[in-house]
Amino acid sequence: RVLGAYIVRTDATGLKVLDPESPDNIERGSIWAYVGDDKDVLFKYTKTGEGATGPWKLLAGRTGYIQADAATVHDRLFDGQAASAIELGCWAHGRRRLVALQETDCRVAYPLKLIARLYRIEHLADARHLTPEARADLRRDRSTVVLDTLRRWLLATRAREPPSTDLAKAAGYLLNQWVALTRFVEDGRVSLDNNLCEQQLRDVALGRKNYLFAGSHAAAERTAALYSLTRTCAQHGVPPLPYLTDIFGKLASGWKARRLAELLPDRWRDANALS
């Protein structure tokens, strides 16, 4: 279902894993998060953070939207080497470089104000419960003007600032990602940022503080599988404890493999609502 989604969001975080074959007896693997259409959450563990074992493999051949940060590991998903997907940028990542300069350069207040206006337009669309088509109309009417103003400021800033300054680098980052960052204007189903995917990874980050590491690479893979279920539960409004209690009992009782899809959180919710 994630692979068939209209929009796939992706991001990754690290996970320490015990490995007796490693010189230090511990390795740092990666857990990749993939969110399909804001509901289905899939985590995949890989022994390294390399794209070849992560998104290049899972999303190979995709032609639809992929939303991610501008890390180079994602480039092959958009340039035809692993996939020919359509890149969606993340304004949350784009503004971070400006936010980091707030204490040292007052000039960033203006572009941050403009970016905040983009989000206020989205809040207005949410408050009006607009359809994707109506949201796109609102964006074309209001967001385009803000984006044009912001782009002029970025171009002027990059032209007058020495290339080595942090402000010039922040402006250059946004301009380099401009096409991906502004695709949201024409499609009301596209969000401004990848924060939803990052929110899924917070559970992994919280877990790391408690269990510190996975006991093996196989254990890390099972961890990713369980996170997939619990985070998908969260997105569908399904309480995880009764859900897991019920499906584990059914699996232990010989639930047929051909009926596994019936145990997905949203279908389980609907079935139990009717019972």
Side-chain angles (χ1 to χ4, degrees), residues 111-186:
L112 287 173
K113 181 179 180 180
L114 293 176
I115 295 172
R117 286 181 185 173
L118 296 177
Y119 279 93
R120 284 201 297 272
I121 294 168
E122 296 305 303
H123 295 328
L124 175 61
D126 292 338
R128 292 179 176 178
H129 304 289
L130 297 183
T131 64
E133 293 76 16
R135 183 184 291 267
D137 290 339
L138 180 66
R139 288 170 172 176
R140 283 190 286 267
D141 182 43
R142 301 194 184 188
S143 300
T144 301
V145 178
V146 179
L147 289 168
D148 288 343
T149 303
L150 177 58
R151 187 169 186 271
R152 289 195 297 271
W153 185 90
L154 293 169
L155 288 169
T157 299
R158 188 173 65 172
R160 67 172 178 264
E161 281 288 303
S164 60
T165 65
D166 290 336
L167 183 59
K169 292 177 181 178
Y173 177 91
L174 289 169
L175 290 170
N176 291 338
Q177 298 297 315
W178 194 253
V179 173
L181 285 169
T182 56
R183 283 198 169 106
F184 76 93
V185 173
E186 298 299 326

Side-chain angles (χ1 to χ4, degrees), residues 3-61:
L3 293 177
Y6 185 68
I7 300 172
V8 175
R9 306 166 184 263
T10 185
D11 204 349
T13 191
L15 181 68
K16 292 181 179 179
V17 179
L18 293 183
D19 185 351
E21 297 182 1
S22 170
D24 298 323
N25 292 319
I26 196 165
E27 291 288 333
R28 184 177 177 85
S30 291
I31 288 189
W32 297 87
Y34 305 91
V35 182
D37 289 341
D38 297 353
K39 293 293 185 181
D40 296 317
V41 184
L42 174 66
F43 289 94
K44 301 288 284 185
Y45 170 76
T46 60
K47 291 183 179 181
T48 71
E50 296 175 355
T53 57
W56 304 351
K57 179 180 180 181
L58 186 73
L59 301 176

